[in-house]
PDB file of all heavy atoms in Angstrom:
ATOM      1  N   ASP A   3      59.020 131.712  90.604  1.00  0.00           N
ATOM      2  CA  ASP A   3      58.382 133.000  90.336  1.00  0.00           C
ATOM      3  C   ASP A   3      59.103 134.157  90.997  1.00  0.00           C
ATOM      4  O   ASP A   3      59.074 135.281  90.502  1.00  0.00           O
ATOM      5  CB  ASP A   3      56.928 132.957  90.825  1.00  0.00           C
ATOM      6  CG  ASP A   3      56.082 131.993  90.002  1.00  0.00           C
ATOM      7  OD1 ASP A   3      56.467 131.706  88.863  1.00  0.00           O
ATOM      8  OD2 ASP A   3      55.049 131.546  90.526  1.00  0.00           O
ATOM      9  N   ASP A  14      74.119 156.580  78.954  1.00  0.00           N
ATOM     10  CA  ASP A  14      74.132 157.855  79.667  1.00  0.00           C
ATOM     11  C   ASP A  14      73.747 157.627  81.122  1.00  0.00           C
ATOM     12  O   ASP A  14      73.290 156.545  81.516  1.00  0.00           O
ATOM     13  CB  ASP A  14      73.198 158.878  79.013  1.00  0.00           C
ATOM     14  CG  ASP A  14      71.760 158.399  78.909  1.00  0.00           C
ATOM     15  OD1 ASP A  14      71.324 157.603  79.778  1.00  0.00           O
ATOM     16  OD2 ASP A  14      71.065 158.800  77.954  1.00  0.00           O
ATOM     17  N   VAL A  46      67.076 139.169  90.827  1.00  0.00           N
ATOM     18  CA  VAL A  46      66.289 139.734  91.918  1.00  0.00           C
ATOM     19  C   VAL A  46      65.470 138.633  92.575  1.00  0.00           C
ATOM     20  O   VAL A  46      64.735 137.901  91.911  1.00  0.00           O
ATOM     21  CB  VAL A  46      65.353 140.848  91.404  1.00  0.00           C
ATOM     22  CG1 VAL A  46      64.591 141.483  92.561  1.00  0.00           C
ATOM     23  CG2 VAL A  46      66.146 141.902  90.642  1.00  0.00           C
ATOM     24  N   ARG A  56      79.165 146.145  84.448  1.00  0.00           N
ATOM     25  CA  ARG A  56      80.386 146.457  83.703  1.00  0.00           C
ATOM     26  C   ARG A  56      80.224 147.873  83.162  1.00  0.00           C
ATOM     27  O   ARG A  56      79.294 148.143  82.381  1.00  0.00           O
ATOM     28  CB  ARG A  56      80.591 145.460  82.568  1.00  0.00           C
ATOM     29  CG  ARG A  56      81.953 145.593  81.878  1.00  0.00           C
ATOM     30  CD  ARG A  56      81.966 144.780  80.578  1.00  0.00           C
ATOM     31  NE  ARG A  56      81.752 143.384  80.840  1.00  0.00           N
ATOM     32  CZ  ARG A  56      82.728 142.499  81.061  1.00  0.00           C
ATOM     33  NH1 ARG A  56      83.980 142.911  81.065  1.00  0.00           N
ATOM     34  NH2 ARG A  56      82.444 141.230  81.257  1.00  0.00           N
ATOM     35  N   ARG A 115      84.515 146.275  86.598  1.00  0.00           N
ATOM     36  CA  ARG A 115      83.432 145.302  86.616  1.00  0.00           C
ATOM     37  C   ARG A 115      83.140 144.986  88.075  1.00  0.00           C
ATOM     38  O   ARG A 115      84.031 144.573  88.821  1.00  0.00           O
ATOM     39  CB  ARG A 115      83.819 144.030  85.863  1.00  0.00           C
ATOM     40  CG  ARG A 115      82.704 142.999  85.796  1.00  0.00           C
ATOM     41  CD  ARG A 115      83.130 141.784  84.992  1.00  0.00           C
ATOM     42  NE  ARG A 115      82.090 140.763  84.994  1.00  0.00           N
ATOM     43  CZ  ARG A 115      82.209 139.575  84.410  1.00  0.00           C
ATOM     44  NH1 ARG A 115      83.342 139.273  83.779  1.00  0.00           N
ATOM     45  NH2 ARG A 115      81.228 138.711  84.454  1.00  0.00           N
ATOM     46  N   GLU A 201      72.959 144.130 121.618  1.00  0.00           N
ATOM     47  CA  GLU A 201      73.832 143.103 122.186  1.00  0.00           C
ATOM     48  C   GLU A 201      75.311 143.495 122.171  1.00  0.00           C
ATOM     49  O   GLU A 201      76.175 142.669 122.422  1.00  0.00           O
ATOM     50  CB  GLU A 201      73.633 141.788 121.438  1.00  0.00           C
ATOM     51  CG  GLU A 201      72.235 141.228 121.647  1.00  0.00           C
ATOM     52  CD  GLU A 201      72.015 139.910 120.941  1.00  0.00           C
ATOM     53  OE1 GLU A 201      72.652 139.668 119.906  1.00  0.00           O
ATOM     54  OE2 GLU A 201      71.197 139.123 121.431  1.00  0.00           O
ATOM     55  N   LEU A 261      84.026 121.224 127.428  1.00  0.00           N
ATOM     56  CA  LEU A 261      83.252 120.700 128.552  1.00  0.00           C
ATOM     57  C   LEU A 261      83.016 119.203 128.394  1.00  0.00           C
ATOM     58  O   LEU A 261      83.095 118.438 129.372  1.00  0.00           O
ATOM     59  CB  LEU A 261      81.913 121.433 128.660  1.00  0.00           C
ATOM     60  CG  LEU A 261      81.961 122.911 129.063  1.00  0.00           C
ATOM     61  CD1 LEU A 261      80.557 123.498 129.074  1.00  0.00           C
ATOM     62  CD2 LEU A 261      82.612 123.085 130.425  1.00  0.00           C
ATOM     63  N   ALA A 272      87.098 107.716 136.507  1.00  0.00           N
ATOM     64  CA  ALA A 272      86.187 107.115 137.485  1.00  0.00           C
ATOM     65  C   ALA A 272      85.839 105.671 137.150  1.00  0.00           C
ATOM     66  O   ALA A 272      85.579 104.859 138.044  1.00  0.00           O
ATOM     67  CB  ALA A 272      84.911 107.958 137.580  1.00  0.00           C
ATOM     68  N   ALA A 306      96.976 110.277 124.865  1.00  0.00           N
ATOM     69  CA  ALA A 306      95.844 109.532 124.331  1.00  0.00           C
ATOM     70  C   ALA A 306      94.937 109.085 125.469  1.00  0.00           C
ATOM     71  O   ALA A 306      95.398 108.898 126.602  1.00  0.00           O
ATOM     72  CB  ALA A 306      96.338 108.320 123.546  1.00  0.00           C
ATOM     73  N   SER A 308      93.819 106.222 125.899  1.00  0.00           N
ATOM     74  CA  SER A 308      94.314 104.915 126.345  1.00  0.00           C
ATOM     75  C   SER A 308      95.402 105.083 127.404  1.00  0.00           C
ATOM     76  O   SER A 308      95.492 104.286 128.348  1.00  0.00           O
ATOM     77  CB  SER A 308      94.854 104.129 125.154  1.00  0.00           C
ATOM     78  OG  SER A 308      95.858 104.873 124.469  1.00  0.00           O
ATOM     79  N   GLN A 312      95.446 103.516 131.205  1.00  0.00           N
ATOM     80  CA  GLN A 312      96.551 102.696 131.693  1.00  0.00           C
ATOM     81  C   GLN A 312      97.159 103.281 132.961  1.00  0.00           C
ATOM     82  O   GLN A 312      97.529 102.547 133.883  1.00  0.00           O
ATOM     83  CB  GLN A 312      97.602 102.558 130.597  1.00  0.00           C
ATOM     84  CG  GLN A 312      97.135 101.690 129.425  1.00  0.00           C
ATOM     85  CD  GLN A 312      98.088 101.719 128.246  1.00  0.00           C
ATOM     86  OE1 GLN A 312      99.089 102.444 128.270  1.00  0.00           O
ATOM     87  NE2 GLN A 312      97.774 100.951 127.222  1.00  0.00           N
ATOM     88  N   ALA A 327      89.990  99.810 123.840  1.00  0.00           N
ATOM     89  CA  ALA A 327      90.914 100.754 124.460  1.00  0.00           C
ATOM     90  C   ALA A 327      92.270 100.712 123.781  1.00  0.00           C
ATOM     91  O   ALA A 327      93.274 101.036 124.373  1.00  0.00           O
ATOM     92  CB  ALA A 327      91.061 100.436 125.944  1.00  0.00           C
TER      93      ALA A 327
END
Side-chain angles (χ1 to χ4, degrees):
D3 293 338
D14 57 30
V46 183
R56 189 192 299 269
R115 183 178 177 182
E201 294 181 331
L261 292 178
S308 56
Q312 290 171 357

